[in-house]
């Protein structure tokens, strides 16, 4: 990370950083920048901010109430927010919704400024439980369940994860056997490892669950399907259902996670969410998607919204942490700068700038990358898109979720440390931020697995049989192609050639171009991505050619494969940020965001400087120049930092950290 770099204080090398001559410090128009950040969903975000302020006491309730009392308080907030119409945004108009998936994502993103137990319980109720019924069910399911789901009258669960299988959903063990004579499905938990685990809303409040199980007809498994199953009746476990509380967690203790077992639980044939597959009364299975793998992938793909939302929430949590830490650093003083001088503000120290400002730049970059993802999600849910576009969206959602939530974890930690001992006090918000966001890196898809999914799509070019490929199938597929074909499928080679043509120096483009030239920055990102793709393809192909088993080949190359995912997502984030700033009219705000673009790009290159040096694209002198340029950018951004975090539009009541934010400048 850039924050771990210790730049030299003296150097005999020529300084390639931008000279201050001619530089005019921009003046940030906070209101205009806030409007830009709110984007197309400003009204939705304003509604959410009002709801956050109305229920601000829940932040302190988390510390003063008992466990069960706080769980009930969180439920009450969720139901109260539902009455404002906020939770209806993404649902069909026929059930009182607005058919605005983009609006629903923006609402979730903004809600993440507040208590995260409330956020996640809302995500379980409306995104996962309601979303599963909406996206996997038919119109009868919609009419029967969605109005009560949207209002919060019917609280439910999304019962996918099992003790034995989390990421590997295709291997779930819960069984739904069709009884043709009774025209019912019989749900069973055949082994202890098959019990549903960590299920939100199951521990205390959930009355119904969408249960994912292996559909078995006449002894044959048709793969994983989803069923609507009652789990409580009048507050008590339904017949055949066993429920246990998951207990205290590291965080999010306002969410009642639980475990579920099913013992011969019978549900009617119509309980199958049958948008993509159905079972006739006689027990004949049918599906509009012939391939079992593609059918399974399509069913899970409709639930991509969860990953889109969790990534957005991670970025919002990082915004809260940065707003607190930067505002504190702009008020807190330590050590005199000279004889007779007042103590120096923390944010005036170069290393403090190094700790926080590259993280601020990355947060802005992720915000605009999320904006692109949200727009494409809206198109996918309510427009007419082809399968390749859908697969690309799923990959982008997985990668952005991983990058944003890892970023949240590291940013919150850095900001906590930057606030010293005061940052360790619960009343100053970091305790909850750290504890409640930690799980973001593993739920809705483990981040490492998400990056592997991104790389799989790139290496196979989202081939027509992509959905049927496991990791071993991917190895065989790539091994059967020429390396050049693999690279061509990614399209990154064409992108690299296009930007290189705009740079001076021919083959020496990386040495001749200016460090602040966006074409240089994009070329460096794309070079790394292309090189990693081609290198992984060669290694996969070589392993198979040498007669190794596909599983062993994949294991040996797995770190390389995951590095592809990181490089690809970093490039997508840069592209989104560059494009957003380019379309802005000339203004001081454009200048300010331009500084952040440069800081994000060069910090990412610096973090991977060893790789670039190993591959001949960065000299020692050039690497040092990048470090000096980053320091210069931090100095330029420092006077703008408070305005930049104010533009996030975080309600003061959500910051809560009064001890940090009201620290006297003369203290």
């Amino acid at each position: 990370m850039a924050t771990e770099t210790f730049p030299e204080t003296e150097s005999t090398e020529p300084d390639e950083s931008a000279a201050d001559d001619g530089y005019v410090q921009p003046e940030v128009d906070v209101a205009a920048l806030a409007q830009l950040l709110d984007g197309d969903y400003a009204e939705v975000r304003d509604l959410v901010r009002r709801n956050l302020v109305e229920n601000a006491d829940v932040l302190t309730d988390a510390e003063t109430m008992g466990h069960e009392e706080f769980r009930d308080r969180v439920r009450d907030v969720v139901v109260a927010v539902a009455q404002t119409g906020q939770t209806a945004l993404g649902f069909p108009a026929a059930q009182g919704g607005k058919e605005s998936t983009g609006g629903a994502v923006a609402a979730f993103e903004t809600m993440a400024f507040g208590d995260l137990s409330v956020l996640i319980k809302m995500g379980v109720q409306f995104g996962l439980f309601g979303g599963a019924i909406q996206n996997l069910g038919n119109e009868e399911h919609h009419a029967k369940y969605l109005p009560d789901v949207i209002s919060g009258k019917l609280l439910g669960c999304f019962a996918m994860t099992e003790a034995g299988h989390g990421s590997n959903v295709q291997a779930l063990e819960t069984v739904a056997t069709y009884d043709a004579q009774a025209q019912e499905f019989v749900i069973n938990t055949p082994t202890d490892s098959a019990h549903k685990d960590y299920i939100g809303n199951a521990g205390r409040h959930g009355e119904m669950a969408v249960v994912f199980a292996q559909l078995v007809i006449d002894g044959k498994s048709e793969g994983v399907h989803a069923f609507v199953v009652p789990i409580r009746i009048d507050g008590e476990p339904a017949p055949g259902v066993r429920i246990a509380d998951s207990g205290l967690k590291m965080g999010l203790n306002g969410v009642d996670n639980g475990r579920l077992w099913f013992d011969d639980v019978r549900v009617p044939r119509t309980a199958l969410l049958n948008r993509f597959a159905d079972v006739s009364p006689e027990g004949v299975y049918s599906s509009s998607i012939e391939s079992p793998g593609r059918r399974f992938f399509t069913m899970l793909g409709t639930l991509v919204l969860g990953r889109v939302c969790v990534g957005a929430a991670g970025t919002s949590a990082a915004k809260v942490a940065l707003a607190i830490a930067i505002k504190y650093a702009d008020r807190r003083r330590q050590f005199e700068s000279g004889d007779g001088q007042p103590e120096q503000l923390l944010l005036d120290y170069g290393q403090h700038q190094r700790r926080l400002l590259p993280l601020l730049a990355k947060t802005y970059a992720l915000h605009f990358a999320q904006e692109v993802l949200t727009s494409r999600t809206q198109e996918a849910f309510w427009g007419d898109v082809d399968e390749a576009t859908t697969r690309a969206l799923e990959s982008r959602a997985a990668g952005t979720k991983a990058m944003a939530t890892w970023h949240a974890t590291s940013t919150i930690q850095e900001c906590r440390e930057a606030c010293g001992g005061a940052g360790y006090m619960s009343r100053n918000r970091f305790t909850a931020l750290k504890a409640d966001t930690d799980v973001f890196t593993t739920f809705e898809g483990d981040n490492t697995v998400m990056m592997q999914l991104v790389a799989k799509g790139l290496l196979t070019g989202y081939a027509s049989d992509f959905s049927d490929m496991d990791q071993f199938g991917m190895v065989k597929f790539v091994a059967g192609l020429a390396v050049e074909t693999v690279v061509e499928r990614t399209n990154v080679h064409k992108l690299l050639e296009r930007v290189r043509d705009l740079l001076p120096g021919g083959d020496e483009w990386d040495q001749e171009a200016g460090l602040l030239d966006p074409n240089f920055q994009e070329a460096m990102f794309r070079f790394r991505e292309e090189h990693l793709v081609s290198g992984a393809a060669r290694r996969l192909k070589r392993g198979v050619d040498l007669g190794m088993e596909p599983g062993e080949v994949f294991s040996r190359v797995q770190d390389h494969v995951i590095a592809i995912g990181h490089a690809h997502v970093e490039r997508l984030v840069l592209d989104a940020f560059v494009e957003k700033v380019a379309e802005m009219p000339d203004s001081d705000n454009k200048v300010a965001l331009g500084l952040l673009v440069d800081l994000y790009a060069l910090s990412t290159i610096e973090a991977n400087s060893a790789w670039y040096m190993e591959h001949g694209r960065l000299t020692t002198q050039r690497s040092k120049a990048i470090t000096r340029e980053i320091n210069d950018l931090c100095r330029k951004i420092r006077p703008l930092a408070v305005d930049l975090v104010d533009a996030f539009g975080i309600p003061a009541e959500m910051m809560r950290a009064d001890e940090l934010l009201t620290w006297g400048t003369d203290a």
Side-chain angles (χ1 to χ4, degrees):
M1 289 179 58
T3 53
E4 296 173 346
T5 301
F6 296 90
E8 300 175 16
T9 56
E10 297 181 5
S11 175
T12 58
E13 303 292 344
D15 191 344
E16 295 185 30
S17 64
D20 288 337
D21 294 343
Y23 171 74
V24 177
Q25 180 180 309
E27 184 173 328
V28 175
D29 183 336
V30 176
L33 184 54
Q35 186 177 19
L36 180 74
L37 291 170
D38 279 357
D40 294 336
Y41 300 105
E43 290 185 10
V44 168
R45 295 182 192 274
D46 284 343
L47 169 63
V48 175
R49 289 184 179 106
R50 291 194 297 272
N51 285 334
L52 286 170
V53 172
E54 179 70 22
N55 298 283
D57 288 349
V58 74
L59 290 171
T60 52
D61 292 340
E63 296 168 8
T64 59
M65 287 183 171
H67 188 203
E68 298 305 330
E69 184 184 11
F70 182 59
R71 284 176 164 185
D72 289 346
R73 169 72 170 127
V74 168
R75 176 204 56 199
D76 292 344
V77 172
V78 169
V79 174
V81 169
Q83 307 315 305
T84 70
Q86 177 183 318
T87 60
L89 290 164
F91 288 102
Q95 278 71 50
K98 301 296 184 182
E99 299 189 356
S100 176
T101 302
V105 175
F108 194 88
E109 180 182 4
T110 310
M111 199 75 190
F113 290 151
D115 180 80
L116 296 178
S117 284
V118 171
L119 177 81
I120 297 307
K121 195 171 182 75
M122 290 180 68
V124 169
Q125 170 68 14
F126 307 107
L128 294 178
F129 176 58
I133 294 172
Q134 175 185 349
N135 295 305
L136 300 180
N138 58 34
E139 291 184 1
E140 292 180 2
H141 293 123
H142 296 175
K144 182 176 182 179
Y145 297 116
L146 289 184
D148 286 346
V149 171
I150 294 170
S151 69
K153 182 179 179 181
L154 173 63
L155 297 179
C157 316
F158 182 82
M160 176 181 283
T161 299
E162 296 178 356
H165 293 91
S167 298
N168 187 7
V169 178
Q170 282 181 295
L172 294 180
E173 298 177 77
T174 301
V175 176
T177 304
Y178 185 64
D179 180 345
Q181 185 174 356
Q183 294 189 27
E184 294 175 331
F185 292 103
V186 185
I187 315 292
N188 271 292
T189 303
T191 65
D192 191 57
S193 64
H195 77 258
K196 299 297 182 181
D197 217 348
Y198 318 118
I199 307 303
N201 265 356
R204 186 171 176 86
H205 299 133
E207 301 168 54
M208 190 165 287
V210 172
V211 177
F212 288 80
Q214 301 286 348
L215 170 58
V216 175
I217 303 174
D218 293 332
K220 178 186 176 183
S221 175
E222 299 291 352
V224 175
H225 291 67
F227 304 82
V228 180
V229 181
I231 61 169
R232 281 187 178 87
I233 298 174
D234 297 328
E236 297 297 324
V241 177
R242 287 182 287 147
I243 303 174
D245 196 291
S246 292
L248 286 172
K249 309 180 290 289
M250 284 180 64
L252 298 176
N253 282 302
V255 181
D256 52 320
N257 295 84
R259 299 172 174 177
L260 298 171
W261 290 261
F262 302 96
D263 301 313
D264 291 331
V265 175
R266 288 181 170 267
V267 294
R269 184 180 63 87
T270 54
L272 171 66
L273 295 176
N274 61 349
R275 176 180 174 185
F276 299 108
D278 204 357
V279 177
S280 71
E282 297 76 24
V284 177
Y285 180 83
S286 62
S287 174
S288 57
I289 306 173
E290 184 175 348
S291 163
R294 185 172 293 117
R295 183 166 59 244
F296 170 77
F297 206 91
T298 300
M299 285 193 291
L300 288 194
T302 62
L303 305 175
V304 70
L305 186 60
R307 291 171 185 168
V308 175
C309 286
V310 170
T315 300
S316 289
K319 290 176 183 177
V320 175
L322 283 164
I324 295 171
I326 286 173
K327 284 173 171 286
Y328 177 63
D330 193 52
R331 302 178 68 86
R332 174 71 166 171
R333 295 180 182 272
Q334 285 290 288
F335 302 107
E336 296 84 356
S337 57
D339 291 340
Q341 298 296 314
E343 289 187 290
Q344 192 165 329
L345 291 169
L346 293 182
L347 201 52
D348 288 337
Y349 286 100
Q351 184 58 23
H352 213 78
Q353 294 169 14
R354 267 282 187 155
R355 298 178 76 174
L356 299 179
L357 300 186
L359 296 174
L360 177 62
K362 188 172 182 178
T363 300
Y364 262 84
L366 282 164
H367 176 95
F368 292 117
Q370 180 69 42
E371 187 175 81
V372 173
L373 180 58
T374 299
S375 175
R376 295 187 181 181
T377 302
Q378 172 68 23
E379 294 170 6
F381 272 70
W382 301 104
D384 184 16
V385 297
D386 58 26
E387 184 175 350
T389 301
T390 300
R391 296 289 172 259
L393 171 66
E394 291 161 358
S395 174
R396 189 175 190 123
T400 303
K401 180 265 180 187
M403 183 172 172
T405 54
W406 270 325
H407 172 65
T409 297
S410 60
T411 298
I412 292 166
Q413 177 64 28
E414 193 69 58
C415 290
R416 204 295 298 163
E417 293 181 25
C419 291
Y424 196 64
M425 305 305 293
S426 291
R427 61 180 174 270
N428 289 326
R429 194 73 207 274
F430 285 109
T431 299
L433 283 173
K434 278 175 60 67
D436 290 346
T437 60
D438 194 84
V439 74
F440 285 14
T441 60
T442 49
F443 74 8
E444 291 303 310
D446 176 275
N447 281 359
T448 298
V449 176
M450 294 298 94
M451 285 302 187
Q452 189 170 292
L453 176 64
V454 173
K456 173 186 170 185
L458 287 171
L459 287 166
T460 61
Y462 307 104
S464 58
D465 51 353
F466 173 83
S467 306
D468 290 322
M469 290 184 202
D470 56 14
Q471 59 198 34
F472 308 134
M474 180 194 74
V475 172
K476 295 175 182 177
F477 181 88
V478 174
L481 299 175
V483 172
E484 293 75 16
T485 302
V486 175
V487 174
E488 189 70 21
R489 280 172 173 263
T490 68
N491 202 37
V492 72
H493 182 71
K494 295 176 183 177
L495 296 171
L496 175 59
E497 290 299 309
R498 189 173 68 198
V499 294
R500 280 177 54 176
D501 288 345
L502 300 175
L503 294 169
D507 289 339
E508 300 299 318
W509 57 269
D510 51 338
Q511 304 304 317
E512 299 296 328
L515 297 179
L516 303 184
D517 186 334
N519 292 312
F520 162 75
Q521 296 165 1
E522 292 191 48
M524 290 289 277
F525 277 59
R526 287 168 179 171
F527 172 80
R528 178 165 166 255
E529 181 182 354
E530 179 188 313
H531 199 286
L532 286 168
V533 169
S534 61
R538 288 188 181 91
R539 291 181 65 192
L540 292 168
K541 187 175 181 66
R542 186 184 310 123
V544 172
D545 289 346
L546 291 174
M548 295 169 59
E549 289 295 323
E552 184 180 358
V553 174
F554 178 79
S555 182
R556 292 191 179 195
V557 185
Q558 190 173 16
D559 60 333
H560 194 151
V561 168
I562 290 169
I564 293 171
H566 284 275
H568 178 66
V569 179
E570 287 168 357
R571 194 261 298 172
L572 290 179
V573 170
L574 177 64
D575 286 351
F577 202 1
V578 169
E579 290 169 10
K580 187 67 178 183
V581 174
E583 68 187 25
M584 292 175 65
D586 290 341
S587 64
D588 279 12
N589 281 359
K590 183 171 185 175
V591 173
L593 292 192
L595 296 173
L596 293 177
V597 170
D598 290 334
L599 184 54
Y600 166 68
L602 294 184
S603 296
T604 305
I605 294 171
E606 183 188 54
N608 294 288
S609 58
W611 186 93
Y612 285 110
M613 288 181 180
E614 289 173 354
H615 294 83
R617 283 300 173 190
L618 200 61
T619 64
T620 302
Q621 293 76 17
R622 190 78 158 166
S623 179
K624 290 179 178 179
I626 287 174
T627 295
R628 291 192 295 274
E629 190 68 69
I630 290 171
N631 291 339
D632 185 66
L633 286 165
C634 286
R635 286 190 291 271
K636 290 177 178 176
I637 292 169
R638 186 267 175 262
L640 316 176
V642 171
D643 286 341
L644 290 170
V645 295
D646 280 344
F648 292 149
I650 304 169
E653 294 84 351
M654 296 303 100
M655 302 279 277
R656 193 190 168 198
D658 290 344
E659 180 179 348
L660 298 174
L661 301 179
T662 60
W663 191 275
T665 54
D666 294 327

